[in-house]
Amino acid sequence: MNKIYPDAKAALEGLTFDGMTVMAGGFGLCGIPENLIVALRDSGAGDITAISNNAGVDDFGLGLLLQTRQIKKMVSSYVGENATFEKQYLNGELELEFNPQGTLAERIRAGGAGIPGFYTKTGVGTLIAEGKEHKDFNGETYILETGLIADVALVKAWKADKEGNLVYRKTARNFNPMMATAGKTCVVEVEEVVEIGELDPDNIHTAGIFVDRIIVGNPEKRIEKRTTRAA
């Protein structure tokens, strides 16, 4: 099975549709599948539910799909860097399901592991807990959170071999490994594809069995906030 596709548009062919649920890896702008996000925008799919830690910035990452109003709902943890997001949400044009960051990560991991739900203490007694099942264990109250899955997971990795085994690089790993397991179809953007056997088996982060399609991207790797020391 050839998993290598010539470009992002080809990799998403036949996968996009109105009302789809998409996971997109990344933390801020670090480790986002930026070329696949552009291809998703260009596909014209609308009413998208996007599961991502954040929504990029106004003109980059998932912010591009907010500009074109292709996203109906965001399932996120942090959205404070996107003015377009703020405006659409406050105007009632965008749905938002907020999650504590660790809860979001675990919901994705649970979905990929086939776990429909789990109990956590995080959020008990806050707005997060409203409408959720509460249960006591050993004298402590927990709330039920559900696992998350997506029609398509868009993932960014550093290297892949031709079987789809993936290696991430440092903090660009973030949400990507969990999302790779939680999409019905997993499409990965990498910086390099190597031959089978070139990756150290002990250092593979995501097994190729989870990966369906791969492209080699030319990422901009934009820096969200540049901080420098005064001379």
Side-chain angles (χ1 to χ4, degrees):
M1 179 180 178
N2 180 23
K3 298 183 178 182
I4 313 299
Y5 283 69
D7 53 42
K9 179 181 178 180
L12 292 185
E13 187 173 349
L15 299 179
T16 61
F17 56 91
D18 291 348
M20 68 185 299
T21 299
V22 176
M23 288 182 178
F27 187 101
L29 299 182
C30 178
I32 66 171
E34 55 192 78
N35 292 285
L36 290 171
I37 290 171
V38 171
L40 177 59
R41 178 199 64 184
D42 293 346
S43 75
D47 291 329
I48 294 170
T49 296
I51 301 169
S52 183
N53 179 65
N54 55 284
V57 294
D58 289 317
D59 62 344
F60 200 64
L62 288 177
L64 295 173
L65 279 82
L66 289 173
Q67 286 184 338
T68 53
R69 299 182 182 273
Q70 289 170 263
I71 295 178
K72 176 186 70 174
K73 178 180 180 179
M74 288 290 307
V75 182
S76 300
S77 172
Y78 176 71
V79 294
E81 301 298 331
N82 194 308
T84 304
F85 187 110
E86 177 186 12
K87 182 178 179 181
Q88 290 182 12
Y89 175 67
L90 292 177
N91 288 340
E93 301 166 345
L94 181 67
E95 298 175 44
L96 172 61
E97 184 178 329
F98 253 141
N99 297 259
Q101 197 164 78
T103 299
L104 179 63
E106 182 62 8
R107 291 183 71 190
I108 297 166
R109 190 202 68 82
I115 298 170
F118 60 92
Y119 289 95
T120 176
K121 290 175 68 176
T122 304
V124 171
T126 72
L127 290 174
I128 295 294
E130 289 186 1
K132 295 178 180 175
E133 179 187 329
H134 290 59
K135 193 167 185 177
D136 287 350
F137 296 90
N138 299 320
E140 299 283 349
T141 301
Y142 294 73
I143 56 174
L144 178 66
E145 297 282 0
T146 55
L148 292 171
I149 58 173
D151 296 300
V152 177
L154 304 181
V155 169
K156 172 65 168 63
W158 181 37
K159 290 183 181 181
D161 67 18
K162 292 182 177 179
E163 285 287 347
N165 297 302
L166 304 179
V167 175
Y168 306 96
R169 182 163 174 78
K170 302 186 184 298
T171 55
R173 185 188 308 194
N174 51 69
F175 286 82
N176 284 293
M178 295 86 78
M179 289 186 174
T181 69
K184 296 176 184 176
T185 302
C186 176
V187 186
V188 183
E189 178 178 328
V190 300
E191 297 175 39
E192 182 182 359
V193 174
V194 301
E195 295 295 328
I196 296 170
E198 289 189 35
L199 298 178
D200 181 351
D202 285 337
N203 291 325
I204 288 171
H205 300 134
T206 295
I209 193 170
F210 293 108
V211 175
D212 300 288
R213 303 182 181 188
I214 303 167
I215 66 158
V216 177
N218 184 23
E220 178 184 339
K221 295 185 179 179
R222 187 181 300 186
I223 297 174
E224 187 172 356
K225 290 185 180 293
R226 186 183 298 273
T227 303
T228 57
R229 186 173 56 188

